Amino acid sequence: MARKGVVQRERGKQELEKRYRSIRRSLKAGMGEALSLDGKWEIHKELQSLPRNSAPTRLHRRCFLTGRSRANYRYFGPSRHVLREMAHACLLPGPVRASW
């Protein structure tokens, strides 16, 4: 189980990224359309002035049950521990227990 403060911090990053998503996309599109080097520098300064945690690369996937940040499956959503427990309890259709 992850600490609650870490999970809350990650949720705050998600909200911040959602808030600045359109601004960041428009600035990046303007960067490609800028013809002069000075125009690109101005757009780059505006991008740098945005909060660091509003960048989508700073987000991590977390298990929706435990909050674990590592070994998450994109398709299912939980971490490997929870996925294994769900497979043992026959809550997931499809996975076959080989030699677990």
Side-chain angles (χ1 to χ4, degrees):
M1 191 79 177
R3 293 183 301 169
K4 293 188 187 257
V6 176
V7 175
Q8 291 299 322
R9 186 183 322 144
E10 192 67 33
R11 286 188 184 147
K13 285 181 187 179
Q14 288 174 353
E15 291 172 7
L16 199 63
E17 189 270 334
K18 192 184 299 183
R19 188 182 323 156
Y20 285 98
R21 184 182 298 158
S22 61
I23 297 170
R24 190 173 288 274
R25 282 186 184 168
S26 65
L27 287 174
K28 286 195 176 221
M31 181 79 86
E33 296 171 359
L35 300 175
S36 67
L37 190 60
D38 293 332
K40 287 186 180 189
W41 278 109
E42 292 299 322
I43 294 172
H44 182 72
K45 284 182 185 177
E46 290 179 30
L47 268 172
Q48 291 296 315
S49 68
L50 295 178
R52 236 183 216 189
N53 285 336
S54 67
T57 56
R58 294 180 73 93
L59 297 176
H60 298 282
R61 280 191 314 272
R62 291 196 168 268
C63 175
F64 65 89
L65 291 175
T66 61
R68 183 177 163 87
S69 64
R70 297 181 181 186
N72 288 327
Y73 288 87
R74 290 182 193 165
Y75 185 74
F76 293 109
S79 63
R80 62 184 174 87
H81 300 289
V82 175
L83 183 74
R84 185 175 178 191
E85 289 173 5
M86 291 172 75
H88 280 299
C90 297
L91 297 175
L92 290 176
V96 178
R97 290 182 353 195
S99 62
W100 290 1

